[in-house]
Amino acid sequence: MAGRCIRLTKSTKNPPDKILLQHLHEEELARQERARKPAVQEAPVLQKSFAVAGLCCGVWDFDAADAVFTSHLEIRRKGIIAFRRTHLAVKLESPGWVTPTEHVELDYASMTGPIFLAGGAAPHLTITATVAPKFFQTGSLSSLEELMTGTKSVKKRVTKLGHDEHGVTATAFIYRIMLQHQTDLQPINALKRERQIPTFSHHPTRTMQPRILYLGQLASFHSLLAAQPWPYQVKYQAQMLVDNGILPPGKASELFPAIRQLVGQAGADHAPKVLRKFAKDLEYCGPGTDADAFTTTALTDQMFKANETLGTGVYQRRGSRGNANMLLIHRVMVTPVGIYLDGPYPESMNRVLRQYRAHADKFLRVEFCEETGDSMTFDRNASLEEVFWRRFQGVLRDGIRIGDQHFEFLGFSHSSLRAHLCWFVAPFTSERGEDINAISIIPLLGDFTRIRSPAKYAARIGQTLSETHTSIAIDLRRVSVVKDIKTNVRGHERIFSDGVGTLSMAFWDRLCDEYAVRALVKPTVFQVRVAGAKGMISLDSTMVGDDLRVRRSMIKFDAVGSWNVEICGSGLRPLPCFLNRQFIKILEDLGVPQQNFMHLQQDEIDRLRKASSTPLAAAAFLERLNLPSSIRLPWLLRELHRLGGHFSDDDFLRRAVELAFLVRLRDLKYRSRILVEQGWTLYGIMDETGVLQEDEIYCPVITEAGRREVLVQNNVVITRAPALHPGDVQMVHAVDVPAGSPLEWLHNCVVFSQHGVRDLPSKLSGGDLDGDLYHVIYDARLRPARLYEPAEYPRTQESLLDRPVQKADIIDFFLTFMQQDQLGRIAILHQAIADHKDEGTSHPDCLTLAELHSTAVDFSKSGRPADITRIPKYQNLRPDFMSPSPRVHVAEDISLLELDRPGEEEEDGDGPRIRYYKSEKTLGHLYRAIDERDFLEDLKTSMQASERKGGHVVRQLWAHVQRETAGFQWRHHVEMAKEVKALYEDTVVDLMYQYAARPSTAALTEVEVFIGHVVGKEQQRMGKRQREASKKYDSLVSSIMAEIANEDSQREESLERSVACLSLWQDERTVRPKMASRKDRDILYSFRWIAATVCLQELQRFRREMASG
């Protein structure tokens, strides 16, 4: 080689990696195949990196009619700008050893409108963002040791740009990047062919220096706001204008006289709603917008126009309706750079909110996350120390000031800890005259003084902050504490009754009257919080009186004054059982043949295909999906079918059903979420009678048909999620109980034995009976050929203090958990190694990861994180089933888009790329067996087979309603109907933009909001935001339906009102986009089907009333 002799010898250090060799072989075959094909002229490789001369941060303003950029922060340094796959990266080189190199990452998802290009003597590009970018620093040598040793400083995430001491980057989101060469504008403009990059617009704008420093503007705004005599709710919305970067602080201050006038005219309750709508309706300022629209006079006019719109009765009542267990709560998002305000939104109540519901405005729901709303996760390429231990710790310890209110950290529930959410509270005086604040409220919740573990202390307070559906009072004298059922074998104590108690028939009746009043099947097991106790309670028909029994293991602290039973969940129905990748891999390793999984998946695909054949089949299928319950889509499809219509005749309904089918298919392909028809997911409780023997379970369920069935079968598979250890799957015998047993009263639960050496739940991924769900599978095809001994890890020692726990300790634990929570990282690595290694989940590396995962699960209670130094080293190689999914385009038609790079992830500047190989294990075969495109084409063909003419079904429905309501006077409700429709569609558009992954290039579609599922390449990233959007939409539909049916006035003229709303079905609304630079328009169709559902329900109710006389 190059004239030199190269000698190769076989390595004895490491054996060859078969998977890597296979991947390299496949790459070579693919390269040879490409070489054999006729030469095709490929698109030229576009230049994506360019030289820059500096960067400015500021705001848009106007000089007369011209848009100008006002710079409040400027860094003049040479560097590079690079257009990457998901973001724009700017690197400003260090001018010396002491000054660090600055890195700025502007996520495309946060950009709104085009990127403005300008040439001339000072060429530049300008970006309008909705949130702050990510900031990093590298290269500074901050210590003598680094200087002497030449140590390279690690890349670190920072919370501001350069020496921004004025808070500019926290609320000003316009960035101007100066280019070194004007000739770079042409190749930059050529990047418009890349679909992930925002569009470009040539629009020269001048740069101006500010008349007043940004720090002065901010200080003046906050001082003026705090001094105003307005209610807190008004000040919150006013501060949102500045904190969210909607208006510069100087411009917002100019609106104070208008806000003062608004409060006087609209009132303290209504003014916040007006300000919130005003903020949502504001266009983003910049080139292409009318300068006259951003004068103080024009903004004032727009504010009062919003007041006129919201002055109608429909808008006035918005927010007053809803679930009695919900409260309107303001939300705050704390990020590495900014603090963003939102809301108020309906929030499920917990014990604290229920006790102080009259002071809901004194509580804040605070989330710590990325600027884009994504979770802060482990970054292998950068240190996050400054973010967690300076920025986040500062907010948690110092509090948040909004107007003249100072909110302080209170606590978090177990679920909110994992979501990086917590509660803040501002001081107030309760109805009993108590001075309530973040410190004084704790002793009123319970006695925690004996707890020395910050994690456990926080968890016990968190019990009072857990969401609960309802609260039922119980006389303290009727509550008894009973002993746990334990065994002690070789010094190992086992608690068989860990977390489970019982309730009497009389108390069960009262509980059901409050909680499950409309349920056809009354639950007999409940997950509850009772004073300082938590866990499950089950019906015991042998108990007398209005009694409740809790076990010692359920009591976590001594509560003060509260003995209500709060319900978190119940066995209303048996939940379906789904396999996932963890279960499939373990079962494969335990000897379940690959073809059995293939048959199960094919059965599910066949059911999907059959479900698209008729409206009734489609409706039955949709009932199994997690759609927003309020829209009642399955019921609507059945009603349309009964009237002789077909949902596929309506373009919107057809796309909604198509998308729902595609969501389910993608669940199969990308999550291996295969339905097991011969299986259930159930709450676990203990056999109080002692009749069940070791390795026996009792499994009674009420089927969809309303029949009570008891599973009786030997060798039933039982497991629990998450499952990483091969011993997390076991087999038991499902038996019936003797006639007349008290257990015969139970249903929709799995009952475990109280006998044996070790309780069965603890064998299943360390489960217990305080609310865990268990998967019971009686499908013989999934029966393992062998079993693995259950894991038995030593109990994690709690992190204890030698003094009482203080608030600062809880804050530090919250931060430590956010920073060191490794659950996701461990699970992903476990999945990759289990596929790579021949031993699968029993490989030593996988067993180590399973143990670390167990420690990470207990981290929230023990305060001790998993030891990341024990995480096995692994190359960047993953099986093909872990590769990203193609994006989905949802418009008039649903189609799939190709991956940017099939088979690999693009290197985004840091770290090596991830390579994907063809997995020959079960998960790989399941993944490749599904062809999304073929399925989607077949689905469209099936839908079109019965399709006639678009819109026919709604005309048919309207003709039916007109016949049924002939002679009814409904036209006087048309104006009300228009107001309701406008309110509904305004909120839908807000959701479409608020929860889009990339609002600069594409909002969510109406159909995605309607079915509560976001699809595409960002699907995994959108999980949390998708759930949030679906919850908000469900709440919106419930309140809109209540408004149409006039529920506040005993449903007076509810049928006539619903007819008036349905009569607007021909009125297509074209929605103007939020950013003036966007040229597309959104046409909304879903309101007609919300109105149709209410109208058909009211027609049924009218007929029943007429029939009953």
Side-chain angles (χ1 to χ4, degrees):
M1 182 180 294
R4 293 186 178 184
C5 179
I6 304 296
R7 300 192 178 201
L8 304 176
T9 58
K10 186 175 181 180
S11 171
T12 58
K13 185 176 181 181
N14 294 309
D17 189 314
K18 292 187 295 184
I19 298 295
L20 182 56
L21 291 175
Q22 172 194 329
H23 174 69
L24 294 173
H25 179 65
E26 289 169 357
E27 277 190 338
E28 176 60 20
L29 291 178
R31 187 193 64 78
Q32 293 175 9
E33 181 64 24
R34 288 194 300 270
R36 283 193 294 269
K37 289 183 178 179
V40 178
Q41 185 175 1
E42 296 184 1
V45 177
L46 299 175
Q47 180 183 353
K48 293 185 178 181
S49 296
F50 308 91
V52 301
L55 176 146
C56 299
C57 174
V59 298
W60 287 117
D61 205 344
F62 289 95
D63 182 18
D66 298 329
V68 295
F69 171 73
T70 301
S71 174
H72 288 281
L73 177 66
E74 182 174 341
I75 299 180
R76 286 281 180 178
R77 291 192 211 162
K78 290 184 178 181
I80 295 290
I81 181 174
F83 289 84
R84 300 237 172 98
R85 181 167 53 90
T86 60
H87 62 273
L88 189 66
V90 181
K91 179 181 180 181
L92 301 175
E93 295 290 355
S94 168
W97 285 356
V98 177
T99 305
T101 296
E102 303 284 349
H103 302 260
V104 181
E105 293 184 1
L106 291 133
D107 198 318
Y108 297 141
S110 69
M111 298 180 190
T112 177
I115 297 174
F116 296 104
L117 304 179
H124 58 260
L125 55 89
T126 311
I127 294 160
T128 303
T130 56
V131 294
K134 294 179 182 177
F135 300 123
F136 300 87
Q137 289 180 349
T138 57
S140 64
L141 295 175
S142 56
S143 70
L144 180 60
E145 181 182 357
E146 288 178 333
L147 186 61
M148 296 296 292
T149 61
T151 305
K152 183 180 179 181
S153 294
V154 69
K155 183 177 181 180
K156 63 178 181 179
R157 183 81 176 268
V158 292
T159 59
K160 60 185 178 182
L161 177 61
H163 298 288
D164 176 21
E165 305 299 337
H166 304 308
V168 177
T169 49
T171 55
F173 307 139
I174 315 302
Y175 283 84
R176 174 156 290 182
I177 301 159
M178 288 79 78
L179 301 171
Q180 290 189 33
H181 311 294
Q182 182 175 343
T183 53
D184 284 341
L185 289 173
Q186 186 174 349
I188 289 175
N189 190 55
L191 293 173
K192 61 187 178 185
R193 299 178 219 165
E194 301 285 311
R195 61 172 174 260
Q196 74 271 19
I197 295 176
T199 58
F200 297 98
S201 174
H202 290 270
H203 205 122
T205 52
R206 291 182 291 116
T207 299
M208 292 184 64
Q209 296 304 312
R211 293 184 295 273
I212 304 175
L213 290 177
Y214 205 77
L215 179 63
Q217 292 186 36
L218 275 175
S220 175
F221 170 81
H222 287 296
S223 176
L224 284 170
L225 182 64
Q228 299 303 316
W230 306 331
Y232 161 75
Q233 300 93 324
V234 174
K235 293 183 180 182
Y236 184 94
Q237 300 299 331
Q239 186 163 326
M240 186 192 298
L241 293 171
V242 173
D243 285 5
N244 292 16
I246 298 169
L247 288 176
K251 180 64 71 176
S253 298
E254 293 174 8
L255 293 177
F256 279 19
I259 297 175
R260 191 177 302 117
Q261 183 182 352
L262 175 68
V263 174
Q265 287 186 9
D269 291 336
H270 190 55
K273 300 175 187 176
V274 175
L275 285 174
R276 190 175 175 197
K277 179 169 175 56
F278 165 71
K280 288 183 176 182
D281 290 347
L282 273 180
E283 289 184 10
Y284 290 102
C285 178
T289 53
D290 185 2
D292 292 338
F294 286 89
T295 65
T296 303
T297 301
L299 292 173
T300 299
D301 290 343
Q302 188 170 344
M303 186 187 301
F304 281 93
K305 185 178 179 181
N307 185 38
E308 291 175 9
T309 303
L310 294 181
T312 64
V314 173
Y315 278 90
Q316 289 274 17
R317 289 190 294 274
R318 170 72 171 138
S320 62
R321 299 187 186 279
N323 192 321
N325 194 51
M326 307 285 277
L327 279 179
L328 289 175
I329 298 293
H330 293 97
R331 298 181 180 181
V332 171
M333 198 167 81
V334 179
T335 69
V337 179
I339 292 182
Y340 307 102
L341 312 185
D342 199 11
Y345 292 114
E347 191 79 27
S348 295
M349 278 202 266
N350 53 50
R351 186 180 305 174
V352 174
L353 290 181
R354 194 173 281 115
Q355 185 171 344
Y356 300 109
R357 62 186 308 161
H359 304 277
D361 287 331
K362 300 298 182 180
F363 293 90
L364 281 182
R365 176 184 180 269
V366 181
E367 178 181 10
F368 291 81
C369 58
E370 286 282 10
E371 308 297 331
T372 54
D374 298 323
S375 295
M376 288 291 300
T377 55
F378 169 77
D379 188 341
R380 64 180 179 180
N381 300 309
S383 167
L384 300 177
E385 288 291 312
E386 182 170 328
V387 171
F388 286 109
W389 297 102
R390 182 176 297 177
R391 167 66 174 170
F392 288 175
Q393 186 185 63
V395 173
L396 286 162
R397 290 192 172 184
D398 299 338
I400 298 171
R401 181 166 291 279
I402 301 175
D404 56 352
Q405 297 288 310
H406 184 238
F407 291 84
E408 295 183 301
F409 171 79
L410 173 60
F412 45 82
S413 67
H414 181 262
S415 60
S416 68
L417 171 63
R418 296 207 175 276
H420 302 173
L421 293 167
C422 60
W423 289 93
F424 278 46
V425 63
F428 64 92
T429 302
S430 71
E431 288 76 3
R432 293 184 297 216
E434 302 161 315
D435 290 329
I436 303 298
N437 57 48
I439 301 298
S440 66
I441 197 173
I442 302 300
L444 300 176
L445 302 176
D447 181 6
F448 310 100
T449 55
R450 290 191 296 273
I451 302 174
R452 290 293 185 265
S453 164
K456 181 172 285 188
Y457 192 102
R460 300 307 172 233
I461 294 174
Q463 283 180 226
T464 69
L465 296 170
S466 298
E467 291 185 7
T468 50
H469 300 303
T470 191
S471 178
I472 297 98
I474 186 170
D475 188 338
L476 174 59
R477 294 169 296 181
R478 311 303 303 182
V479 180
S480 56
V481 179
V482 295
K483 292 182 179 179
D484 279 291
I485 296 176
K486 304 178 182 180
T487 63
N488 195 312
V489 178
R490 296 187 297 274
H492 290 283
E493 184 180 78
R494 303 292 185 185
I495 304 178
F496 285 73
S497 57
D498 190 7
V500 64
T502 55
L503 73 162
S504 67
M505 187 72 75
F507 186 56
W508 175 71
D509 283 333
R510 195 154 63 87
L511 210 60
C512 290
D513 286 344
E514 289 280 343
Y515 170 69
V517 63
R518 296 181 182 178
L520 296 177
V521 176
K522 307 300 183 185
T524 55
V525 294
F526 304 85
Q527 186 183 18
V528 298
R529 303 285 186 268
V530 186
K534 65 186 285 281
M536 296 293 297
I537 54 174
S538 62
L539 175 62
D540 184 348
S541 61
T542 65
M543 291 173 60
V544 296
D546 195 37
D547 285 8
L548 173 68
R549 291 176 184 166
V550 297
R551 284 200 161 82
R552 180 64 58 186
S553 61
M554 298 174 67
I555 300 174
K556 308 302 180 181
F557 65 92
D558 296 328
V560 176
S562 174
W563 278 94
N564 287 359
V565 176
E566 300 167 300
I567 300 178
C568 306
S570 69
L572 276 168
R573 60 187 63 86
L575 300 174
C577 178
F578 290 92
L579 295 178
N580 60 30
R581 287 178 173 174
Q582 292 175 349
F583 294 155
I584 290 170
K585 185 60 191 143
I586 290 176
L587 289 170
E588 177 189 34
D589 294 341
L590 296 179
V592 176
Q594 185 179 109
Q595 63 265 26
N596 291 7
F597 298 105
M598 301 297 291
H599 292 157
L600 280 168
Q601 178 171 277
Q602 190 57 49
D603 289 346
E604 183 71 354
I605 294 172
D606 291 343
R607 283 193 292 268
L608 270 176
R609 294 185 186 279
K610 290 177 183 176
S612 65
S613 60
T614 68
L616 295 181
F621 162 76
L622 291 174
E623 283 182 331
R624 289 171 20 202
L625 293 186
N626 187 26
L627 301 180
S629 58
S630 58
I631 63 174
R632 299 196 67 189
L633 185 57
W635 181 86
L636 177 63
L637 298 192
R638 289 192 180 98
E639 285 299 296
L640 293 176
H641 175 72
R642 187 178 62 82
L643 297 175
H646 197 294
F647 69 86
S648 64
D649 293 336
D650 179 81
D651 289 338
F652 179 81
L653 284 184
R654 174 180 53 78
R655 280 188 291 131
V657 174
E658 276 184 6
L659 191 60
F661 276 69
L662 184 60
V663 165
R664 179 68 191 106
L665 185 77
R666 289 168 77 83
D667 256 358
L668 282 171
K669 184 173 178 70
Y670 299 107
R671 296 172 61 196
S672 302
R673 197 165 181 265
I674 303 172
L675 176 69
V676 181
E677 290 201 309
Q678 297 179 54
W680 305 107
T681 300
L682 303 162
Y683 281 113
I685 61 169
M686 189 197 70
D687 169 24
E688 299 287 343
T689 68
V691 67
L692 298 178
Q693 299 305 305
E694 184 176 9
D695 293 330
E696 289 184 344
I697 62 169
Y698 176 59
C699 189
V701 297
I702 305 292
T703 66
E704 290 182 2
R707 295 192 307 271
R708 187 177 189 276
E709 296 181 355
V710 176
L711 176 63
V712 179
Q713 182 177 307
N714 287 336
N715 297 321
V716 170
V717 176
I718 189 162
T719 185
R720 171 182 168 269
L724 278 74
H725 190 279
D728 289 339
V729 173
Q730 295 294 315
M731 283 197 294
V732 291
H733 304 305
V735 300
D736 203 349
V737 295
S741 169
L743 298 182
E744 289 190 317
W745 283 91
L746 301 175
H747 50 253
N748 300 339
C749 60
V750 54
V751 185
F752 293 98
S753 170
Q754 58 173 265
H755 302 296
V757 174
R758 180 179 176 185
D759 59 303
L760 180 58
S762 71
K763 299 178 183 180
L764 309 175
S765 192
D768 54 31
L769 301 178
D770 71 351
D772 287 353
L773 291 167
Y774 295 87
H775 305 284
V776 178
I777 300 172
Y778 53 97
D779 190 325
R781 292 174 294 181
L782 295 176
R783 190 175 296 154
R786 55 188 175 275
L787 292 176
Y788 203 95
E789 192 67 23
E792 186 167 9
Y793 306 124
R795 184 181 296 274
T796 304
Q797 294 298 312
E798 291 181 322
S799 179
L800 300 175
L801 303 176
D802 58 0
R803 55 172 174 77
V805 176
Q806 300 172 355
K807 187 170 77 168
D809 300 318
I810 301 175
I811 288 173
D812 287 349
F813 166 68
F814 185 63
L815 290 164
T816 303
F817 185 89
M818 280 197 288
Q819 186 180 26
Q820 299 189 27
D821 183 18
Q822 301 288 324
L823 269 177
R825 178 187 175 195
I826 292 170
I828 289 172
L829 186 57
H830 180 276
Q831 192 173 105
I833 295 178
D835 186 86
H836 190 169
K837 302 298 183 181
D838 292 338
E839 302 94 322
T841 53
S842 61
H843 186 276
D845 284 351
C846 286
L847 295 176
T848 297
L849 287 168
E851 182 180 357
L852 291 173
H853 193 273
S854 175
T855 303
V857 168
D858 291 339
F859 181 17
S860 61
K861 301 172 185 175
S862 69
R864 292 196 180 275
D867 182 359
I868 61 174
T869 64
R870 294 183 60 205
I871 295 178
K873 298 288 188 290
Y874 185 65
Q875 54 198 315
N876 290 298
L877 194 65
R878 292 182 185 173
D880 52 358
F881 59 81
M882 296 180 72
S883 61
S885 61
R887 294 183 296 126
V888 176
H889 178 65
V890 184
E892 289 78 13
D893 200 5
I894 297 173
S895 58
L896 300 176
L897 301 176
E898 291 287 351
L899 272 171
D900 295 325
R901 287 186 169 198
E904 63 182 42
E905 286 184 8
E906 180 183 348
E907 181 183 349
D908 252 5
D910 292 309
R913 74 183 187 190
I914 295 174
R915 295 175 177 269
Y916 294 96
Y917 64 87
K918 181 180 177 182
S919 169
E920 294 301 336
K921 305 292 176 57
T922 294
L923 289 170
H925 285 276
L926 290 171
Y927 170 77
R928 294 188 295 274
I930 296 177
D931 189 316
E932 286 182 277
R933 284 180 175 77
D934 283 353
F935 179 87
L936 193 54
E937 289 304 315
D938 290 347
L939 179 62
K940 290 176 182 176
T941 301
S942 174
M943 296 280 190
Q944 291 166 359
S946 60
E947 188 176 339
R948 292 180 286 274
K949 188 176 179 182
H952 176 82
V953 69
V954 74
R955 286 197 295 271
Q956 187 177 353
L957 172 63
W958 177 238
H960 167 76
V961 169
Q962 285 182 304
R963 288 193 302 270
E964 292 291 312
T965 59
F968 282 66
Q969 301 299 313
W970 54 266
R971 297 188 185 278
H972 60 292
H973 290 300
V974 169
E975 286 305 312
M976 174 279 306
K978 290 180 178 178
E979 294 169 5
V980 173
K981 184 171 185 283
L983 169 60
Y984 170 81
E985 292 180 337
D986 279 349
T987 312
V988 167
V989 172
D990 285 339
L991 293 174
M992 288 164 61
Y993 282 91
Q994 182 181 359
Y995 289 96
R998 302 184 187 282
S1000 62
T1001 54
L1004 297 182
T1005 59
E1006 183 188 18
V1007 71
E1008 287 176 288
V1009 174
F1010 183 73
I1011 70 164
H1013 285 273
V1014 180
V1015 295
K1017 198 168 182 181
E1018 305 294 336
Q1019 186 172 5
Q1020 184 174 4
R1021 169 187 176 184
M1022 288 290 289
K1024 182 178 71 173
R1025 293 160 72 185
Q1026 171 181 293
R1027 291 189 292 272
E1028 191 77 31
S1030 181
K1031 187 176 179 180
K1032 287 185 182 178
Y1033 180 70
D1034 207 13
S1035 175
L1036 167 69
V1037 172
S1038 295
S1039 63
I1040 289 294
M1041 287 182 163
E1043 181 63 49
I1044 294 174
N1046 207 16
E1047 289 185 1
D1048 280 355
S1049 300
Q1050 288 73 50
R1051 308 183 83 90
E1052 183 180 353
E1053 295 197 357
S1054 56
L1055 178 55
E1056 292 87 344
R1057 290 166 66 91
S1058 66
V1059 174
C1061 289
L1062 183 58
S1063 74
L1064 303 179
W1065 70 269
Q1066 298 180 86
D1067 296 348
E1068 293 180 350
R1069 176 179 176 186
T1070 301
V1071 179
R1072 179 175 55 80
K1074 287 178 135 357
M1075 46 289 264
S1077 56
R1078 284 174 56 94
K1079 303 301 181 187
D1080 56 327
R1081 296 291 186 267
D1082 298 302
I1083 300 176
L1084 303 183
Y1085 297 101
S1086 59
F1087 180 76
R1088 65 175 63 167
W1089 297 113
I1090 303 300
T1093 299
V1094 179
C1095 191
L1096 290 172
Q1097 289 176 169
E1098 291 304 312
L1099 273 173
Q1100 285 188 357
R1101 193 173 68 87
F1102 175 73
R1103 293 194 198 100
R1104 287 196 301 270
E1105 290 176 353
M1106 294 298 292
S1108 62

